[in-house]
Amino acid sequence: MLNIAVLDDQEEYVKRIGKLTAESMQNLGISYTFKKYIKVNELISDLREKECFDIYLLDVEMPEMTGIEVAKIIRKECWGSAIIYITNHVEYAVEAFEVNAYRYIPKNMLEEKLPEAFAALVSQME
């Protein structure tokens, strides 16, 4: 069972990512849990309580803290987790790989690239 979390301050994207995740996991025959975060502080609070996920789907540009800063906390609390960025801000790509991001997906390519990322990641995890 995979545990997946999404963090994006725009609820519209959280819903789209949730739908794509459900479709991808069904196609891959993988059971999973999915937790949605719209506020950074809620995810940080769960991390501090040692609630870790196998996969984090993170936006980069958010009001309280960047996804890069969130990833640094994830790396301290849950080192082995995979991080996939889903964002409109390609200018952060280099920084994303400094925190060992697995993929960096532009939001306008979400439907095409997220299922590909899941398929590749699941095959590596098995």
Side-chain angles (χ1 to χ4, degrees), residues 41-104:
N41 62 346
E42 292 173 357
L43 175 60
I44 300 303
S45 175
D46 283 352
L47 283 167
R48 301 271 191 245
E49 295 293 320
K50 304 295 184 207
E51 183 175 354
C52 292
F53 295 87
D54 301 304
I55 303 171
Y56 288 90
L57 308 169
L58 304 177
D59 189 10
V60 174
E61 190 82 11
M62 295 175 286
E64 304 92 4
M65 180 184 291
T66 71
I68 305 297
E69 293 168 309
V70 172
K72 288 177 182 176
I73 297 168
I74 290 169
R75 288 291 172 239
K76 284 181 188 163
E77 303 295 337
C78 310
W79 172 251
S81 300
I83 297 171
I84 298 174
Y85 284 104
I86 301 170
T87 185
N88 286 321
H89 298 276
V90 294
E91 65 271 20
Y92 292 101
V94 172
E95 285 180 79
F97 289 99
E98 291 173 1
V99 293
N100 295 326
Y102 180 73
R103 294 275 172 102
Y104 198 90

